[in-house]
Amino acid sequence: MDWLAFLLSGTVLAATPLLIAALGELIAEKSGVLNLSVEGMMALGAAIGFIVVAESGSHWLAILAGGLASAGLAAIFAFVVLVTLGNQVATGIAVGILGVGLAGLIGKPYESMTVPPMARVPLPLLSDIPIIGPGLFNQPLLVYLAPLLAAALWWMFKHSKVGLVIRAVGESPESAHAVGYDVVGIRFLAVVTGGLFAGIAGAFISVASTTLWSDGMIAGRGWIVVALVVFAMWRVERVVIGAYLFGAATIAELLVQSAGIAAPSQLLTSIPYIATIIAIALLSMDGKRIRLNAPVSLGRVYNGAQ
């Protein structure tokens, strides 16, 4: 049953950065901002995280640095779309390309270099459970923290004033402004928080998952994150489920190879993206459901002077 332990371990390890980044994107979209630059933010976080580990040896400092770097990139995006009223789609794509380019530039000297992986933390008693114990409960600490973060955000959106305000700004910014809330400020913080999460996710990939730097390490995961939020219908619990489903699809290539099945490597590598396309296509067949669940002002430019 080693294959099952491998499947469980690989799934949670691959799903963790997707979950963290998707939760950040969910916060931004709940506030009414569509951030399509997640790919670039994750790439920048991965590059900064790898460099910090290579130079300092501290994985947690790398996670923090990657998050802060991407938060800075998110602040640029937020300024353009919220202050100068730039188009969210065009700006998101441009900032995403900027992030990928910066990651490739600063990561060039570290090409093909490896760093020690982030230490695993076995949970007492749970890690000793046969089969599932080694797979689920012998992971880096961030793997355990990600579901807790999701639970905290679920509670925030459901039961806290902060969550209610974010949702109100995303549903009707004019009404939120009318009762005294700073719509632009709230959205700005939401976008920067989303960037912070994306950077942490990217850094986790480079210091805990792959640990071998190569340009293009993120490989489209940022776009999977954006699709995951839509797939989840902007609900935290469905983001969690979707992240682990897509995480399983991500390691399907390794499972097929280990089973000795002959298949083109290009086809195996594309499995998670094929799964994303199929999921979104099926979901899009019910356009009414998407419209009912999406934040009403998502992607719309808000001018407080109007």
Side-chain angles (χ1 to χ4, degrees):
M1 299 295 286
D2 289 344
W3 68 270
L4 181 56
F6 172 79
L7 172 63
L8 294 175
S9 177
T11 295
V12 297
L13 198 62
T16 295
L18 296 179
L19 176 57
I20 294 173
L23 291 174
E25 177 68 7
L26 180 64
I27 294 173
E29 293 195 16
K30 282 282 194 180
S31 74
V33 180
L34 177 62
N35 181 9
L36 296 181
S37 58
V38 179
E39 177 81 5
M41 293 177 185
M42 291 181 70
L44 182 60
I48 294 294
F50 189 93
I51 292 171
V52 170
V53 167
E55 299 297 335
S56 71
S58 172
H59 290 83
W60 286 106
L61 181 60
I63 294 290
L64 176 61
L68 292 177
S70 295
L73 190 62
I76 296 175
F77 168 75
F79 177 82
V80 174
V81 301
L82 298 175
V83 178
T84 68
L85 305 181
N87 180 274
Q88 294 182 14
V89 174
T91 304
I93 294 174
V95 172
I97 294 173
L98 173 63
V100 172
L102 286 175
L105 176 64
I106 65 178
K108 190 64 177 178
Y110 298 86
E111 196 77 29
S112 300
M113 183 182 294
T114 60
V115 295
M118 199 172 193
R120 293 177 178 252
V121 181
L123 296 183
L125 300 179
L126 294 176
S127 60
D128 297 327
I129 299 174
I131 303 175
I132 67 171
L136 295 181
F137 304 115
N138 185 23
Q139 298 288 346
L141 185 59
L142 207 57
V143 171
Y144 310 132
L145 295 180
L148 297 179
L149 176 62
L153 287 181
W154 177 87
W155 182 87
M156 182 187 79
F157 284 126
K158 288 287 186 180
H159 302 291
S160 75
K161 181 179 179 180
V162 173
L164 179 61
V165 170
I166 293 174
R167 289 166 53 199
V169 167
E171 295 294 333
S172 178
E174 295 80 10
S175 299
H177 175 75
V179 296
Y181 289 111
D182 181 2
V183 173
V184 172
I186 293 169
R187 287 184 167 182
F188 198 100
L189 288 176
V191 171
V192 171
T193 301
L196 176 70
F197 284 18
I200 290 173
F204 179 84
I205 292 173
S206 66
V207 306
S209 180
T210 304
T211 69
L212 168 67
W213 177 256
S214 62
D215 193 16
M217 175 185 291
I218 300 304
R221 289 182 180 89
W223 295 107
I224 291 179
V225 164
V226 175
L228 176 57
V229 175
V230 179
F231 169 80
M233 293 289 188
W234 295 271
R235 292 167 55 184
V236 174
E237 63 273 19
R238 291 189 56 161
V239 168
V240 175
I241 296 171
Y244 287 105
L245 288 176
F246 284 112
T250 301
I251 67 164
E253 172 188 0
L254 299 178
L255 288 176
V256 172
Q257 290 177 343
S258 64
I261 300 175
S265 60
Q266 295 85 354
L267 176 61
L268 297 177
T269 303
S270 66
I271 288 177
Y273 310 105
I274 294 174
T276 301
I277 293 172
I278 293 174
I280 296 301
L282 292 175
L283 187 63
S284 298
M285 295 174 66
D286 188 0
K288 181 179 180 181
R289 190 177 179 188
I290 292 180
R291 290 192 298 271
L292 289 175
N293 286 276
V296 175
S297 66
L298 181 61
R300 297 179 185 173
V301 174
Y302 169 73
N303 185 352
Q306 290 179 341

